[in-house]
Amino acid sequence: MKKIEAIIRKSKFDDVKEALHNIEVNFFSYWDVTGVGNEKQGHVYRGISYSTTDIQRRYLSIVVSDDFLDKTVSSILESAYSGNVGDGKIFVSEVQEAYRIRTKEKGLAGIN
């Protein structure tokens, strides 16, 4: 099993959620987060200068079987893409075990 952590633009969340549901990834957690990015210069919008050092994003945490890893990452990459600085990041790590508390199932049965 793999854990996919994605940090994406809040404006792309609905697109990513729909893309994940389309590939049958129906369970994941998400949080609103603030981060600091690489871009150091500010932007001017309607004559008002504002800082882009603190960036509002959405953080997704998804656990999938090894078979779903490539499909899930590709889905996020395509649906979260805008082509601009700040599109986000994806991190993948191993999951040792998963348990469903209600039924005490473990492994893939614990996440499906």
Side-chain angles (χ1 to χ4, degrees), residues 1-5 61-66 69 91-99 106-108 110-111:
M1 289 178 288
K2 305 288 189 216
K3 181 177 185 181
I4 301 166
E5 297 170 290
S61 178
I62 309 161
V63 177
V64 296
S65 67
D66 291 349
L69 176 64
F91 306 99
V92 178
S93 56
E94 290 285 333
V95 172
Q96 294 289 330
E97 192 61 84
Y99 295 88
K106 70 179 198 175
L108 292 178
I111 64 169

Side-chain angles (χ1 to χ4, degrees), residues 2-39:
K2 305 288 189 216
K3 181 177 185 181
I4 301 166
E5 297 170 290
I7 302 167
I8 62 170
R9 296 175 181 275
K10 287 176 104 173
S11 62
K12 288 291 195 171
F13 177 71
D14 288 335
D15 295 337
V16 172
K17 182 171 70 170
E18 181 179 337
L20 290 171
H21 287 310
N22 287 340
I23 61 166
E24 298 181 3
V25 174
N26 295 311
F27 178 81
F28 58 89
S29 299
Y30 66 91
W31 300 265
D32 287 333
V33 296
T34 302
V36 178
N38 289 331
E39 190 171 326

Side-chain angles (χ1 to χ4, degrees), residues 19-77:
L20 290 171
H21 287 310
N22 287 340
I23 61 166
E24 298 181 3
V25 174
N26 295 311
F27 178 81
F28 58 89
S29 299
Y30 66 91
W31 300 265
D32 287 333
V33 296
T34 302
V36 178
N38 289 331
E39 190 171 326
K40 302 295 184 220
Q41 70 186 67
H43 287 283
V44 176
Y45 179 72
R46 294 188 179 185
I48 299 172
S49 180
Y50 64 95
S51 171
T52 57
T53 57
D54 295 330
I55 304 167
Q56 297 292 313
R57 295 288 181 254
R58 193 145 284 166
Y59 180 98
L60 287 73
S61 178
I62 309 161
V63 177
V64 296
S65 67
D66 291 349
D67 298 340
F68 266 80
L69 176 64
D70 291 337
K71 186 188 299 190
T72 305
V73 170
S74 294
S75 180
I76 296 168
L77 285 171

